[in-house]
């Protein structure tokens, strides 16, 4: 059997809190191009802390959600791999480290509203 | 590296805001422009939904362990609890954004400004944790591969099966350390020379009979067993760790030397001497097993007579001691009893109920409880299990439970 250890990093500042932008459906570009580096949208907060996301010609109103069960973002701990190799005979051991905790998300679950512009600029 | 260069100018942003019919005074001055990272990577990390207890364990600096192999599903264990890991797929896109200011983190006033936030990954799945029972049925099978029958038998052909230390067991059995230790205790497993073994039943009877005999000779049944003396006397016959283990399984430690109706002046103070008193229930259970094991269905009346005769003098047998060990059929003539230990039943709830209803069509609550109690969790008690897996009906004024679905 494989045993995988999961732990927080030794120092708590190495485990920051990240956030999730939760969108219904998926994001697509008109042409299927790699998404890497592409601009997604502008995120505003109203004075009442309502998140507003403007993506292309669409505006989305969302809300801040405190997640009842937070997420741990776990990644393979490359540094531990070599260390355990040396210390014990078990070479199968892989450890995961919690890279970040996610306790809050911006949930955009309403249908995006179109923005009607006179001259659609290149967005 | 990603450049943090923002292609968006305030002008761009404000044009869009205008189209969207939003006033600058409605929104906070900081605009976060969200980009996909150049190194957008949806593979290298995973999202694990944390249960409160797991989060607490982690923040206390403890590690949790994921234990899985190819044919079992993976479980996650803290020191004390086991969780099933289930992958959840969702149609929403979760944009993982490390540097995002949320709500109150964003200043209310100040000059309008922009900030770049990078999405490093888009996820459509995460792993859920659900508390579950440890998969300890395997433990019994593993330990039965090579049961201990005494030092002199270790070299013979029947005792060449694998033996396991605790670390080995952790590697094979999907359960937390505490749960595995509990199961080892339930299986009456004993650590002999660092390896966990169950005692062969015949060998166990030998050891136990010697202990009982010694008790009867020395009148220890009433005064309690002085552990050191007992180990000393029987130490030539059996390994001390085995004797101590059997005493631990079938006797309870007494508070301070001697107990009960003795005059306290009568007994000199004992320092560091451990005393044990044989447990009537456990000893009687053992003798019931001795009689019933390998003997099929047994006439109940005859069994009760034989059983009473085999237990040490002064001990009282009672049918309640047989809960979870033997079943009685009162509907046939003559009434019969047979060996039906809960440890031999499947640990999967569905299979357990199937086996139970195959054995007997209708069970009363008192009858079935000992056979499902080990399946209960904090959230689901015996009643809950029965509601889900059994159908209740009345028979001769007694509530009985039968299978919900055809028994296979």
């Amino acid at each position: 059997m494989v045993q995988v250890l999961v732990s927080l990093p030794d120092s708590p500042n190495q485990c920051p809190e990240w956030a999730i932008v939760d969108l219904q459906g998926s994001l697509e570009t008109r042409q299927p191009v790699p998404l890497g580096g592409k601009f997604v949208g502008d995120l505003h907060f109203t004075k009442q802390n309502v998140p507003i996301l403007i993506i292309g010609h669409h505006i989305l109103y969302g809300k801040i959600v405190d997640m009842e069960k937070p997420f741990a973002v776990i990644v393979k701990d490359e540094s531990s791999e070599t260390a355990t190799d040396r210390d014990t005979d078990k070479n199968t051991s892989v450890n995961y480290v919690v890279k970040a905790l996610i306790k809050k998300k911006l949930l955009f679950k309403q249908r995006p509203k179109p923005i009607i512009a006179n001259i659609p600029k290149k967005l | 590296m990603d450049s943090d260069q923002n292609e968006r100018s305030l002008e761009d942003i404000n044009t869009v805001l205008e189209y969207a019919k939003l006033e600058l005074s409605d929104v906070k001055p900081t605009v976060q422009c969200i980009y996909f990272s150049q190194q957008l990577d949806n593979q290298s990390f995973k999202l694990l939904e944390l249960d409160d207890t797991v989060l607490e364990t982690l923040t206390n600096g403890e590690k949790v362990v994921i234990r899985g192999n190819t044919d079992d599903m993976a479980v996650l264990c803290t020191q004390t609890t086991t969780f099933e890991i289930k992958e959840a797929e969702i149609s929403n896109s979760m944009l993982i954004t490390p540097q995002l200011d949320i709500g109150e983190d964003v200043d209310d006033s100040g000059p309008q400004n922009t900030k770049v936030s990078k999405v490093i990954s888009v996820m459509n799945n995460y792993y859920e944790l659900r508390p579950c029972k440890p998969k300890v049925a395997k433990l019994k099978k593993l330990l039965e591969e090579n049961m201990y029958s005494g030092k002199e038998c270790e070299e013979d052909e029947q005792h060449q099966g694998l033996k396991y230390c605790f670390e080995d067991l952790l590697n094979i059995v999907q359960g937390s350390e505490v749960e595995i230790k509990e199961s080892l205790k339930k299986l009456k497993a004993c650590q002999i020379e660092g390896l966990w073994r169950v005692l062969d039943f015949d060998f166990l009877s030998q050891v136990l009979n010697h202990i009982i005999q010694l008790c009867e000779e020395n009148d220890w049944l009433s005064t309690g067993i002085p552990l050191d003396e007992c180990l000393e006397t029987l130490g030539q016959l059996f390994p001390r760790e085995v004797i101590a283990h059997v005493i631990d399984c079938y006797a309870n430690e007494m508070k301070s030397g001697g107990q009960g109706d003795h005059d306290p002046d009568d007994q000199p103070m004992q320092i560091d001497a451990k005393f044990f008193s044989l447990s009537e229930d456990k000893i009687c259970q053992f003798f019931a097993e001795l009689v019933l094991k390998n003997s099929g269905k047994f006439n109940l009346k005859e069994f009760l007579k034989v059983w009473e005769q085999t237990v040490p003098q002064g001990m009282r047998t009672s049918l309640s001691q047989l809960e979870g060990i033997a079943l009685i059929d009162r509907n046939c003539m003559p009434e019969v009893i047979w060996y039906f230990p809960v440890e031999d039943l499947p640990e999967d709830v569905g299979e357990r109920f199937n086996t139970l209803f195959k054995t007997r069509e209708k069970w009363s609550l008192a009858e079935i409880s000992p056979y499902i109690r080990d399946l209960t969790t904090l959230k689901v008690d015996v009643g809950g299990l029965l509601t889900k897996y059994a159908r209740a009906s009345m028979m001769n004024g007694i509530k009985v439970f039968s299978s919900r679905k055809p028994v296979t």
Side-chain angles (χ1 to χ4, degrees):
Chain A
M1 183 167 69
V2 203
Q3 287 207 58
V4 181
L5 284 175
V6 183
S7 60
L8 290 186
D10 298 331
S11 125
N13 359 346
Q14 284 177 289
C15 187
E17 200 181 314
W18 290 0
I20 286 178
V21 177
D22 194 329
L23 301 175
Q24 286 217 311
S26 53
L27 281 171
E28 280 167 13
T29 45
R30 251 177 232 164
Q31 268 80 45
V33 289
L35 295 175
K38 288 268 180 302
F39 173 64
V40 181
D42 295 330
L43 175 69
H44 302 268
F45 282 96
T46 68
K47 300 261 157 93
Q48 290 75 42
N49 289 326
V50 176
I52 297 173
L53 184 62
I54 302 178
I55 300 180
H57 301 278
H58 289 100
I59 180 165
L60 294 96
Y61 288 86
K63 63 174 180 188
I64 301 168
V65 177
D66 287 311
M67 290 157 67
E68 199 189 325
K69 290 181 173 180
F71 281 143
V73 179
I74 56 173
V75 285
K76 238 182 234 171
D77 184 2
E78 311 286 350
S79 67
S80 80
E81 228 168 333
T82 46
T84 34
D85 276 350
R86 249 200 328 272
D87 296 346
T88 66
D89 316 330
K90 284 174 197 152
N91 44 13
T92 48
S93 97
V94 182
N95 292 344
Y96 274 79
V97 67
V98 179
K99 200 175 163 79
L101 289 172
I102 301 178
K103 296 178 176 171
K104 280 186 179 156
K105 64 180 176 186
L106 301 180
L107 178 61
F108 295 94
K109 61 175 180 185
Q110 280 164 16
R111 222 182 140 72
K113 289 194 186 104
I115 298 174
I116 300 142
N118 297 337
I119 323 129
K121 271 199 181 175
K122 206 178 123 209
L123 292 179
Chain B
M1 276 309 288
D2 270 359
S3 71
D4 277 357
Q5 187 87 47
N6 194 351
E7 299 158 17
R8 305 277 298 159
S9 66
L10 281 177
E11 202 189 339
D12 294 338
I13 292 166
N14 290 338
T15 314
V16 177
L17 272 182
E18 200 181 306
Y19 289 147
K21 298 186 179 62
L22 285 167
E23 297 292 328
L24 266 182
S25 58
D26 293 339
V27 293
K28 292 189 175 184
T30 301
V31 186
Q32 299 181 72
C33 300
I34 299 176
Y35 286 84
F36 286 119
S37 160
Q38 291 287 357
Q39 284 89 37
L40 190 65
D41 176 358
N42 304 336
Q43 310 300 326
S44 67
F45 50 77
K46 298 182 187 338
L47 293 178
L48 184 65
E49 191 187 61
L50 299 177
D51 183 271
D52 285 345
T53 56
V54 179
L55 180 61
E56 209 184 299
T57 306
L58 284 170
T59 42
N60 283 344
E62 289 166 44
K63 289 174 194 267
V64 297
V65 193
I66 297 174
R67 304 202 162 102
N69 56 13
T70 40
D71 48 337
D72 284 319
M73 53 185 167
V75 299
L76 181 141
C77 303
T78 63
Q79 195 69 21
T80 54
T81 323
T82 306
F83 298 86
E84 248 171 29
I85 302 182
K86 284 217 166 129
E87 187 179 352
E89 275 194 48
I90 49 172
S91 60
N92 281 17
S93 301
M94 293 186 285
L95 277 49
I96 311 297
T97 322
Q99 264 142 13
L100 198 69
D101 295 330
I102 288 183
E104 276 156 22
D105 300 342
V106 184
D107 281 338
D108 259 337
S109 55
Q112 201 185 18
N113 63 89
T114 63
K115 191 188 151 218
V116 170
S117 293
K118 295 262 160 89
V119 173
I120 58 163
S121 175
V122 180
M123 306 288 273
N124 292 103
N125 67 342
Y126 62 92
Y127 293 88
E128 276 181 342
L129 298 178
R130 252 183 245 158
C132 72
K133 285 269 156 187
K135 319 272 180 233
V136 286
K138 226 187 212 164
L139 206 53
K140 187 168 193 276
K141 284 195 200 95
L142 293 174
L143 296 185
E144 282 175 354
E145 284 169 19
N146 188 348
M147 297 205 272
Y148 189 78
S149 311
K151 210 173 182 133
E152 57 284 358
C153 302
E154 286 291 272
E155 300 302 321
D156 67 24
E157 265 177 55
Q158 284 93 53
H159 294 84
Q160 297 310 310
L162 286 174
K163 296 179 260 192
Y164 303 92
C165 71
F166 193 68
E167 274 303 306
D168 297 333
L169 296 174
L170 277 181
N171 255 314
I172 305 172
V173 180
Q174 292 186 308
S176 69
E177 288 187 23
V178 168
E179 289 164 324
I180 292 178
K181 279 183 189 149
E182 272 169 16
S183 310
L184 285 170
K185 196 163 182 199
K186 244 201 238 163
L187 289 172
K188 298 199 172 74
C190 170
Q191 208 176 5
I192 303 171
E193 288 165 23
L195 301 167
W196 284 94
R197 311 284 296 276
V198 286
L199 304 183
D200 171 77
F201 195 76
D202 289 339
F203 177 73
L204 168 66
S205 352
Q206 267 183 49
V207 180
L208 194 55
N209 274 316
H210 272 89
I211 294 171
I212 292 170
Q213 211 181 339
L214 199 61
C215 288
E216 285 173 340
E217 282 167 17
N218 295 300
D219 197 28
W220 287 345
L221 286 176
S222 51
T223 63
I225 308 168
L227 181 65
D228 290 334
E229 202 180 328
C230 184
L231 290 177
E232 197 59 47
T233 318
L234 296 177
Q236 283 135 25
L237 298 172
F238 310 107
R240 283 167 169 253
E241 50 204 323
V242 173
I243 305 166
H245 169 75
V246 174
I247 290 178
D248 193 44
C249 287
Y250 290 95
N252 303 317
E253 194 175 345
M254 295 159 75
K255 307 274 172 231
S256 70
Q259 192 189 40
D261 20 286
H262 291 273
D263 186 347
D265 297 334
D266 213 27
Q267 288 237 323
M269 268 300 247
Q270 299 265 4
I271 300 165
D272 283 345
K274 281 189 173 177
F275 276 79
F276 283 82
S277 72
L278 286 179
S279 151
E280 184 175 63
D281 284 350
K282 287 175 187 163
I283 295 286
C284 289
Q285 265 167 21
F286 169 80
F287 281 100
E289 277 186 74
L290 187 68
V291 177
L292 291 172
K293 218 172 183 164
N294 312 320
S295 59
K297 292 199 177 175
F298 213 111
N299 181 312
L300 180 62
K301 258 194 194 138
E302 279 172 31
F303 162 76
L304 288 174
K305 216 191 283 166
V306 175
W307 187 24
E308 231 179 278
Q309 284 163 359
T310 49
V311 299
Q313 275 216 320
M315 290 207 176
R316 272 191 313 261
T317 58
S318 142
L319 283 179
S320 66
Q321 292 158 347
L322 300 181
E323 272 192 359
I325 293 176
L327 270 186
I328 296 169
D329 190 347
R330 296 195 181 275
N331 293 326
C332 67
M333 285 297 284
E335 295 177 341
V336 289
I337 182 166
W338 69 97
Y339 187 55
F340 191 70
V342 61
E343 301 97 71
D344 288 356
L345 299 177
E347 70 180 349
D348 175 84
V349 190
E351 286 174 42
R352 171 77 62 93
F353 274 96
N354 192 54
T355 311
L356 289 175
F357 290 122
K358 202 155 66 180
T359 308
R360 174 175 289 181
E361 202 184 328
K362 289 185 163 67
W363 297 71
S364 73
L365 181 63
E367 286 166 343
I368 204 165
S369 296
Y371 288 102
I372 55 174
R373 205 172 284 137
D374 61 311
L375 299 175
T376 56
T377 59
L378 279 179
K379 284 185 188 143
V380 188
D381 60 3
V382 165
L385 284 171
L386 288 170
T387 315
K388 188 163 174 202
Y389 292 92
R391 184 192 304 277
S393 57
M394 296 301 276
M395 196 174 72
N396 306 329
I398 303 167
K399 197 176 192 181
V400 290
F401 295 91
S402 52
S403 187
R404 268 190 177 273
K405 50 181 194 190
V407 176
T408 51

